[in-house]
């Protein structure tokens, strides 16, 4: 069981936003259920980062911006295949705001992603072109962080991409699975867990994590 090191560990709360919760434009099933366990986890760490999808209204990943395209269909973009989503987390809207019960005020940094019109951004670390950084990797290194614990929405997209990129950058990564919920689009949840195993991402529950001594 991992024990929290207050100096070397960071907790990443991924996209705990209204549009991914009940009644939102891209609601994840049971998405609201992550808020309470994430708040409990936030209270246990010194380094806490919250991420926030922050799209322009004309974002290229939005189905309504492609004539005749259905939500959840796929198109080819210069950086690869892209799922087209319902318009969500548009900058400055209520849907883009954090869930009202999410304790983001304890975050020591907020990373906004997906604000470039022509490229989507699932990961907290990189845009979907896999090369354009958000700056989070450098921030964590400058703070002396070596391990990251991740939870939030959705398991199989933004949490998964963030965990895999954390490993790619040399951080140890732990996904707190009971504080995540999945979209599970065409088996994407199972695919994510398989990718984690291959990359060395550890799967834990909140109860597995021991507090610092």
């Amino acid at each position: 069981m991992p024990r929290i090191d207050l100096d070397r560990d960071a907790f990443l709360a991924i996209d705990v936003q209204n549009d991914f919760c009940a009644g939102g434009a891209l609601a994840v099933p049971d998405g609201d259920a992550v808020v309470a366990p994430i708040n409990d986890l936030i209270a246990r760490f010194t380094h806490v980062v919250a991420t926030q999808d922050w799209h322009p209204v004309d974002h290229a990943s939005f189905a309504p911006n492609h004539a005749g395209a259905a939500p959840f269909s796929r198109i080819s973009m210069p950086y690869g295949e892209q799922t087209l989503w319902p318009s969500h987390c548009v900058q400055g809207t209520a849907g883009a705001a954090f869930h009202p019960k999410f304790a983001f005020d304890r975050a020591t940094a907020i990373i906004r992603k997906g604000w470039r019109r022509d490229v989507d951004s699932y990961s907290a670390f990189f845009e979907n072109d896999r090369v354009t950084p958000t700056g989070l990797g450098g921030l964590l290194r400058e703070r002396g962080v070596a391990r990251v614990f991740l939870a939030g929405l959705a398991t199989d997209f933004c949490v998964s991409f963030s965990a895999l990129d954390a490993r790619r950058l040399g951080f140890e990564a732990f996904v707190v699975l009971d504080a995540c919920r999945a979209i599970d689009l065409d088996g994407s949840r199972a695919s994510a867990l398989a990718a984690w195993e291959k990359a060395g991402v550890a799967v834990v529950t909140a109860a597995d994590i021991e507090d610092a001594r």
Side-chain angles (χ1 to χ4, degrees), residues 1-171:
M1 294 185 181
R3 177 178 295 143
I4 297 170
D5 183 322
L6 295 177
D7 295 323
R8 300 177 65 249
D9 293 346
F11 178 66
L12 310 184
I14 305 296
D15 297 358
V16 188
Q17 294 170 260
N18 289 327
D19 267 346
F20 297 127
C21 295
L26 185 50
V28 178
D30 200 29
D32 297 68
V34 307
V35 177
I38 283 176
N39 286 346
D40 289 342
L41 287 160
I42 284 174
R44 300 167 66 185
F45 287 80
T46 297
H47 301 290
V48 176
V49 178
T51 69
Q52 190 175 22
D53 256 13
W54 198 249
H55 299 304
V57 69
D58 60 347
H59 198 265
S61 73
F62 290 172
N65 293 330
H66 299 267
F72 309 108
S73 61
R74 294 181 174 89
I75 63 169
S76 293
M77 298 287 282
Y79 53 84
E81 188 177 69
Q82 171 67 52
T83 298
L84 294 180
W85 305 104
S87 298
H88 65 281
C89 296
V90 173
Q91 297 172 4
T93 65
F98 290 123
H99 188 285
K101 294 185 178 179
F102 171 44
F104 70 91
D105 55 321
R106 289 205 68 251
T108 55
I110 294 172
I111 296 292
R112 285 178 166 168
K113 57 192 180 65
W115 49 267
R116 292 179 173 88
R117 180 196 175 278
D118 295 323
V119 58
D120 208 358
S121 183
Y122 300 152
S123 172
F125 293 94
F126 290 97
E127 307 280 18
N128 282 7
D129 62 8
R130 318 306 299 134
V131 295
T132 304
T134 65
L136 177 58
L139 182 150
L140 294 178
R141 286 201 178 98
E142 287 195 359
R143 294 186 180 184
V145 169
R147 304 193 303 180
V148 295
F149 292 75
L150 306 95
L153 302 168
T155 310
D156 38 349
F157 285 93
C158 295
V159 173
S160 184
F161 275 64
S162 299
L164 293 171
D165 279 343
R167 292 294 300 130
R168 185 158 68 102
L169 290 173
F171 297 98

Side-chain angles (χ1 to χ4, degrees), residues 2 149-150 155 173-178 180 189 192-194 196-197 200-206 208-209:
F149 292 75
L150 306 95
T155 310
F174 301 82
V175 173
V176 189
L177 197 58
D178 57 334
C180 302
R189 184 183 186 279
L193 268 64
W196 300 350
E197 183 175 8
V201 175
V203 177
V204 298
T205 68
D208 292 331
I209 304 169

